[in-house]
Amino acid sequence: MNNDLHPDLARILVPEDTIQAHVKVLAHQISLDYADVERLYLVGVLRGAFIFLADLVRHLTIPHSVDFMSVSSYGKTAVSGEVRIVLDLREPIVNQHVIIVEDIVDSGKTLSYLYHTLKGRGPASLRTCSLVRKHRDHIDVPLHYLGFNIPDVWVVGYGLDYADRHRTLPYIAELKEEVYKK
Ligand code: PRP
């Protein structure tokens, strides 16, 4: 299989069938946890989460709606004041049961910003879900649903990109260092 890899890629970290199996498990768990809720409100974080969210919702067995947010970050390593909303939700989320759906948690800055922002809008409950999380000692936001922990390398595929490339690969792969360091 690795023989067919794009030359930018070092190796496949999470194969397609493993991703799909975990997406089903996550959807099953969410469907159980929210079985008594009138409607679950899922917030996908653009752009990366759209593929994961599309697969996740098709396995949910409970009533739900989907909306999207997009944020812009000024420098991935800055500590504060660097995230702003560029696309917001269409509706208020007061008294709604909300899950924020991310493709990846890296520094945790994006998820933390969204979590605290949406928490302030008075939802009935607020949880977070990410397909992958890079190995970090600590993030200052709860992560309620997680597919995989991955090593601290640059990954692409299944929504994740490098300069808008490789986002639609069905698997998650490690990008060669020489690609992003050149
Ligand atoms: C990526 C990813 C997450 C965020 C995670 O988005 O989709 O939203 O980074 O990083 P963090 O935990 O360090 O905040 P990106 O800004 O690359 O935009 P994109 O999804 O549109 O590609």
Side-chain angles (χ1 to χ4, degrees):
M1 191 171 184
N2 274 17
N3 292 339
D4 300 330
L5 273 189
H6 187 283
D8 286 355
L9 307 180
R11 64 186 169 124
I12 293 175
L13 275 181
V14 191
E16 180 177 5
D17 55 351
T18 310
I19 293 175
Q20 292 303 332
H22 277 70
V23 171
K24 275 186 197 168
V25 169
L26 285 171
H28 180 65
Q29 188 60 53
I30 291 169
S31 298
L32 285 177
D33 292 350
Y34 291 85
D36 298 332
V37 163
E38 193 179 327
R39 183 181 72 148
L40 175 63
Y41 196 105
L42 294 137
V43 176
V45 184
L46 295 174
R47 288 171 283 179
F50 79 98
I51 290 176
F52 172 41
L53 183 57
D55 283 347
L56 186 73
V57 293
R58 284 180 287 176
H59 292 298
L60 290 179
T61 55
I62 51 169
H64 61 273
S65 18
V66 171
D67 203 351
F68 294 93
M69 289 184 81
S70 180
V71 299
S72 159
S73 296
Y74 297 113
K76 287 281 187 190
T77 53
V79 176
S80 64
E82 68 287 345
V83 181
R84 72 183 171 92
I85 296 173
V86 293
L87 176 73
D88 209 337
L89 301 174
R90 289 186 179 204
E91 301 168 18
I93 53 165
V94 181
N95 296 331
Q96 299 281 339
H97 293 276
V98 179
I99 300 181
I100 304 168
V101 180
E102 265 283 27
D103 51 337
I104 186 167
V105 176
D106 185 351
S107 68
K109 194 174 65 174
T110 305
L111 191 60
S112 175
Y113 175 81
L114 287 171
Y115 183 80
H116 292 108
T117 299
L118 295 189
K119 194 88 184 162
R121 296 183 184 181
S125 69
L126 180 62
R127 286 187 170 176
T128 60
C129 174
S130 183
L131 182 67
V132 297
R133 177 190 168 172
K134 271 197 196 173
H135 176 72
R136 298 271 178 179
D137 291 338
H138 176 71
I139 53 168
D140 78 334
V141 62
L143 192 45
H144 301 95
Y145 301 99
L146 174 65
F148 310 92
N149 280 294
I150 58 166
D152 192 5
V153 293
W154 196 308
V155 285
V156 293
Y158 202 69
L160 298 153
D161 73 306
Y162 169 69
D164 257 333
R165 286 154 55 196
H166 308 303
R167 212 188 271 281
T168 54
L169 291 171
Y171 47 79
I172 294 173
E174 178 181 346
L175 197 67
K176 284 180 183 164
E177 218 174 281
E178 69 209 42
V179 176
Y180 58 86
K181 288 204 167 156
K182 70 184 171 191

